[in-house]
Structures are given as structure tokens and as C-alpha cells.
Amino acid sequence: MSFHILGRRVVIIDKPSVAEDLLTRRALIYSDRHFPPMGGELMKREHNMFYIAYNDRFKTYRRLLHREFNPSAVKNFWSTQQSEARSLVSNICQADSENLFVCVQRAAASLIMKISFGYTIDNDNDHFVFLAESSLKLAYLAGAPGRWLVDSFPILRFLPDWFPGADFKRKAKIWGRKLDNLSIEPHHWAQKQMVSGTAEPSFTSRLLNLDDERERSPDYDDIVRHTAGSLYAAGVDTLAASMKVFFYAMTCNPEIQRKAQEEVDSVTSAERRLPTLEDRASMPYLECILKEVLRWAPPAPMGLAHCSSSDDVYKGYFIPAKTSVYANIWAMTHDEDEYPDPYLFNPDRFLAKEGERQQKDPRGLVYGFGRRLCPGSHFAEFYLFIQMATCLAILDVFKDVDCNGVCIDPKAEFSTGLTTHMAPFPCIVKPRSRDSLAMIQNDHIASC
Ligand code: HEM
């Protein structure tokens, strides 16, 4: 599908094969990002991870991300991911069920702050979380499609700042500086910890200590700051969104929850211990739940638009330079031909059954395509896996009941935006038994 909107040509791809053809096989053409006048150019955000063009600086960003998040490097994060999963469950046990989503969101923020800067957040009103959330709000406001006339009529960006009606230019200048300052603070904090010898190992500290001449350009420090700064924006909402869907799916499907708990127990209960990431290979059903969570409600349903850097022709269609190309991930993961009964949450669809066609692993879709493919996918999966396993080991989730004792069927309602979040829904979350509560409490005491 192709159309013109706000002065831009937009192409939306619904088929994985077309996404592979354009975004992967022709990656040299389709790896830029759209750079809007307001949120990009006027705010001087050409170095931001989500706006940067496919250039040498971008390749350095990706090299650094790959160094930290490749399939074997992510094992360095396992112990942090495990202890954060246990903190999440411990926090859920202490909170009311209505605050389940607050705990889930905070757990994702806590982990990303720790791995990005070696920083431990305060449970309430954390300063760096506040800075990061303020940056996101400002960036969304500046980048909101259709909000700024200058995005539809880019010629307006040449108006002098003092010109009546040009207050967007003054705003852009102030906001651009503000966003820059917001990302400098945690970076400086991590540098200070390194100087004082108290830094916890993190993405920033490891890369600033890197002894690799190839990476040491004069603006290396700034490159590390931009790369680390992208992790919060890209990681927190996507991880939290998936965990919210997991809780919803467990609430609505008690038989799936029970089957998954049996699997987790079969691996851990003889040793009376909590799950670890080493257990992942022994929990194939939980792996199917992970795939189904990502398929049923992909956290970034339209991905992030790629932008073409030159004219192209595909199957007879002319695609001019500067076309925004979206992969409609949601349509791909709900394609009835590939996933029969696509709206049903059914992890069993991924179990190999004799005589039946194996359904495609949705992880080949939900992280995007080509050279802008999500660099955090392996990290994300270990995170989701250990959170789900630890929750299943310790907690039961049920439907809530109304004042007449009748079960409330929760509705699946989602926000719109780059990342879609499930709206809070009524449910009850409780420790499975006194033993399981004691296990998580003891673990918490031991880790303090
Ligand atoms: C379930 C979790 C996640 C999902 C579904 C997801 C999905 C995506 C998608 C669809 C894109 C756009 C890809 C494209 O343009 O084709 C993306 C980009 C990105 N993701 Fe993720 N993501 C997740 C978690 C994470 C995490 C945990 C991190 C970091 C720790 C991360 C870091 C990034 C970055 C830095 C980009 C921008 C890449 C670029 O522009 O080159 N993501 N992600």
C-alpha cells in the first residue's frame, strides 16, 4: 500500500517476503530514517539513534551495540536480569494487584538504567527515570505526525526566528538543547563513578574503557552517550509492554498458566530453587509462550519507518527517494494463512505436531528488518524469559470478581503509538503458596 501524507510518500508493507526484498536485500537503499523538519532538523537531532542516516557514525553505533548485545555477549547481563526478575516478583508480592503494571514498568526502567549506566534507581520518583521519561515526552511531542505545520511545509523552516508565527523555531531550539542536556546527565554521572572507582560495570563504562584504536575517534565519547541514551527509549516500553501482555494472557488462560507452571516446577522444584537463565533450554513450553506473546501483540506493531535514500523500482512500482517504508508487523503476525486463528492466544501453535505445518517463528518479524533490525533482541528475550519463568514459579494470576462474586473477563485494550501498551485490567496476583513467598523473600534478603 502506498499514499502521500503530510508531504511524504509512505509505503506500507504487509508481507514478510516484500519486507525482506526491500529492507534486507536492498538495505543499501532502505536503511535511512525519516528526518522531519521539526523533531529532527530544527532540533539538531541528526545524531540521535532513531533519526541518524545510514552513515559511518551510524555504523559505529551499531558496532558498539553489537559488541554488547550479540548472542554471546548478552550472557554478561544474565545475573542482573535474574536478580531484577526476582526484585520484580518481590515487589509484586508487596504491592496491590492494581499496581501490577507500575511494578512491571519500573522493573524494565530499573534494568535498563543499570545496564546502560550502572545506576540503581530509587523505587519512587527517581531523578534519572524522570529525566528519561521527560525526554521521551518531549521527543514524542516534537515528532508527533501532523502537529507541526513545518513538517508538511518544510519551506517554513527558513522563516527567521522573530517572524510572527515562527514560535515553533524558538521552541525547536530550546527543546533540542534540553534533550541534549537530559542525555548528558546520566552519562556524566557514569563517568564520575568511573573516575572515583565506584562504577558498576555497564554499557557506558565498558565502552568508555575500550582499548580499541579503531573506535577511538575524537567524538567517541559523544557516540557512546548517544548509543547508551537510545537504550531507555528503545528498551523500556517494549519490554514492559510484552510483560503486560504476558500477565493478561495468563489471567485469561488459566490452563496455559498451569501447564507453564508445571514445566517450570518440573525443572526447579526438586532442588527447591528459583529459575535461572540456564534453564531456558529445558522449558520449551515457556519458549512457545514467549513467541506467542510477541506474535499476539507485537510491542512495536508498525516497527520504525525506514527511509529510502535513492529512487528505486520494485516489481514495476516506482519508489522515489525519501519514501518512508513501514513494515506492518502487526499484519504479518496476524496473517491467517501463516497463523490460523490469529486472534487466539495459543502457544501450542509453535509445538511441532506430526503431519502439521510448523508455524513461522514470529521473532523473525517483530524485531524489524535489514540493517536497522533491533539490536536488543537477544537481550530482550532473555529478559522476558527470566521474568516470565520467575513470575510463574512464585505467582498465580487470576481473574478478579465483581461484587456479586462473578468473574470479570478483562478486555484487551491497547494504546496507540510506536509502542503499544495494554491498558490496566482487573486481576488478582498472589504468591502460589507460603513456600513460594518464603523463597522469594529469602532470596531478597540474601541479595541485600
Ligand atoms: C520485545 C522487545 C523489543 C522489540 C519487539 C523491539 C522491536 C524493535 C523494532 C521493530 C525496531 C525497529 C527495527 C527496524 O527499523 O526495522 C527496533 C529498533 C531498535 N531497538 Fe528494539 N525491540 C525490543 C527491545 C529492545 C531492547 C531491550 C533494546 C536495547 C536494550 C532495543 C534497542 C533498539 C534500538 C537501539 C533500535 C534502533 C535501531 C536502529 O535504528 O538502527 N530494543 N526494535
Side-chain angles (χ1 to χ4, degrees), residues 126-247:
D126 183 83
H127 177 59
F128 283 171
V129 171
F130 172 76
L131 292 187
E133 291 293 333
S134 311
S135 303
L136 284 182
K137 276 191 198 125
L138 202 53
Y140 283 139
L141 179 64
R147 185 173 179 114
W148 307 99
L149 203 57
V150 64
D151 288 341
S152 307
F153 302 99
I155 189 86
L156 293 176
R157 69 196 191 284
F158 298 117
L159 285 177
D161 289 12
W162 50 263
F163 202 76
D167 59 323
F168 65 92
K169 285 195 75 178
R170 296 187 287 278
K171 273 197 178 111
K173 258 192 195 152
I174 297 169
W175 290 355
R177 271 199 301 268
K178 192 166 172 191
L179 281 182
D180 218 36
N181 288 335
L182 289 173
S183 76
I184 282 173
E185 238 193 270
H187 183 76
H188 281 174
W189 180 88
Q191 281 177 318
K192 269 198 201 143
Q193 303 296 304
M194 289 170 70
V195 171
S196 67
T198 53
E200 298 248 353
S202 67
F203 182 89
T204 301
S205 71
R206 273 192 297 274
L207 291 179
L208 289 181
N209 272 330
L210 194 67
D211 197 12
D212 184 342
E213 275 312 307
R214 283 168 311 164
E215 304 294 10
R216 281 281 168 190
S217 60
D219 51 357
Y220 180 70
D221 195 271
D222 195 54
I223 286 176
V224 172
R225 172 167 73 89
H226 275 91
T227 319
S230 70
L231 303 180
Y232 190 98
V236 173
D237 274 354
T238 43
L239 295 176
S242 302
M243 281 308 294
K244 291 174 187 176
V245 169
F246 165 75
F247 277 108

Side-chain angles (χ1 to χ4, degrees), residues 23 31 33 49-52 58 62 65 69 112 115-116 227 230-239 242 294 298-306 327 329 365-377 379-381 383-384:
L23 307 182
S31 295
R33 293 279 192 218
M49 170 62 84
F50 306 103
Y51 284 131
I52 192 168
F58 165 76
R62 294 291 305 210
L65 286 165
F69 293 114
I112 295 288
I115 62 132
S116 307
T227 319
S230 70
L231 303 180
Y232 190 98
V236 173
D237 274 354
T238 43
L239 295 176
S242 302
L294 293 171
M302 291 296 288
L304 280 178
H306 292 219
I329 293 171
L365 306 172
V366 298
Y367 295 111
F369 297 89
R371 299 200 187 158
R372 307 293 305 220
L373 182 83
C374 174
S377 63
F379 175 86
E381 277 170 32
Y383 175 89
L384 296 176

